[in-house]
Amino acid sequence: MRSARRDTSAPKTLAARLVAGLAALIGLVVVGALCPGAAVAQAPADRAAGDRSAGVQAAGLHISEGRLVEGNGNDFVMRGVNHAHTWYPGETQSLADVKALGANSVRVVLSDGYRWSENGPEDVAAVIGQCKANRLICVLEVHDTTGYGEDAAAGTLDHAADYWIGLKDVLAGQEDYVVVNIGNEPWGNTDPAGWTEPTVAAVKKLRAAGLQHTIMVDAPNWGQDWQGVMRANARSVYEADPTGNLIFSIHMYSVFDTAQEITDYLNAFADAELPILIGEFGGPADQYGDPDEDTMMATAERLGLGYLAWSWSGNTDPVLDLALDFDPSRLSGWGERIFHGANGIAQTSKEATVYGGDAPDTQAPTAPGTPTATAVTDTSVTLGWTAATDDTAVTGYDVVRVGDGTETTVASSAGTTATVTGLTAATRYTFAVRARDAAGNRSARSAAVEVTTDEDGGTPGGACSVGYRVVGEWPGGFQGEIAVRNTGSAAVGPWTLAFAFADGQTVTTMWGGTATQNAGAVSVAPAPYTATIPAGGTVTLGFTAHKGGTNSAPTAFTLNGASCATT
């Protein structure tokens, strides 16, 4: 238990963000007025000149035709998270943990010594080594610049540039593995037009010193560019880099709460062949609005743009923690969304080819263990099995029904349990399991198990406990979290959770499940990645809701009709 938690997301939590919060009401209508799409247009000759420059001097990760590519020319699309290393230097296991969950990159928070304790050459070299050991691309950023011009404690981009130059010997030769993010959110909401000149100067200073790495540039307005300064000046900043190896980073929080704002912004850069990624973003609602993370992730996937979610763990307000207390087995609802949801990391991440990811994967996983029936009713059976192994990673399992020399897939799972439904009472079935990897290789079939369904339809499980908490509140709304624990000895799934609000609260969004509501009564069905609760396991649901003056917690919960204890 930590005695204090540092604010690793200060620009998202301080009261001084009021102006940025108001921007959520204005949206990018302001941006559109200041800088319509033509503002970032580029003459073909200019674009070609930039690309030629990049091609001549590229080493390792670089920009080509508006895309981040590796030294061999293959596209590299970042799928990763942010990690607050400078405040939690002892949490070095975090890099291995995010890799195990599928990330191909990590943005590491560092300090140049202006505001926090400097991360020296030895420490930075160790971080790079840990990224490489875990086959991650490493984005290194200086956090001390956050909110310059509005936050008096913030340092300058020039100071950050000097820090990177001081690390030149450590960074040399790491161009295949490291991107240099000059400074985090290097301008606040006060005169954001002042961002352009020092950004150009810092880029030129690093290139004059001989750094050849891809440089990442954050937007003003605490990274969210709601006044469109980066969007309007992106071409001139890009052309200030003689190597052409520069990528822009937009941070998307409550300013980006509609699909139109998100797609307009990202499409403007993509259409102009200006490289961009979402260097930070959040999903949970705050007092300023509710970011549309679904559109952010879907648009990034559609356009082939990178994204790096904020943040692994350690936020002052844990609403943005992907993992609770740095524990990869305790993903929050936000963490489940990022790693296992639609367009999430597990589904879309591809390892950098510099680590050998370009070699075709032709090796199938080993066969899973023989399945066992852990719960049988008249119409369903829950099966569990021992995990398969693979030379890269097992990504899922298919349960097959076997009979008359054929097999039919009847259920799929990302884990080692699955529930088969739609069966006939008092009937014998034969089931087996196949494992699959990301390349589509399927394992040999496991040994089979025979199961006879019940005649009278017993109900599986029933032993459960539910923890409910309010994560944050604001006028008219709040964010909640529900942890559903299976305290029985058999897996439960699929499941339905039911409860009731007493004060007129209304669920607006949910992750980890799908809520339907009739007056105060709420029924929740699982998402695909929470469909089974293993014995002794827990699934976590996150949601936002409207509320009035009173916000009483539900007093009773049922899981598949059986009452649960409350914790």
Side-chain angles (χ1 to χ4, degrees), residues 314-336:
N315 290 282
T316 301
D317 181 350
V319 67
L320 285 172
D321 282 357
L322 297 161
L324 304 180
D325 295 322
F326 295 92
D327 184 349
S329 69
R330 298 174 61 209
L331 293 183
S332 66
W334 173 227
E336 290 286 356

Side-chain angles (χ1 to χ4, degrees), residues 135 351 359-369 386-397 414 416 434-444:
R135 303 166 73 89
E351 187 176 87
D361 180 5
T362 58
Q363 181 173 327
T366 61
T386 303
T389 60
D390 189 56
D391 60 327
T392 55
V394 173
T395 57
Y397 297 88
T416 54
R434 291 183 185 272
R436 49 187 158 75
D437 62 19
N441 300 309
R442 297 183 82 206
S443 74

Side-chain angles (χ1 to χ4, degrees), residues 1-29:
M1 188 71 179
R2 299 181 185 278
S3 58
R5 296 169 72 94
R6 291 189 183 274
D7 186 357
T8 65
S9 58
K12 277 68 75 177
T13 59
L14 295 176
R17 303 306 151 279
L18 180 58
V19 176
L22 292 175
L25 301 177
I26 303 170
L28 291 185
V29 174

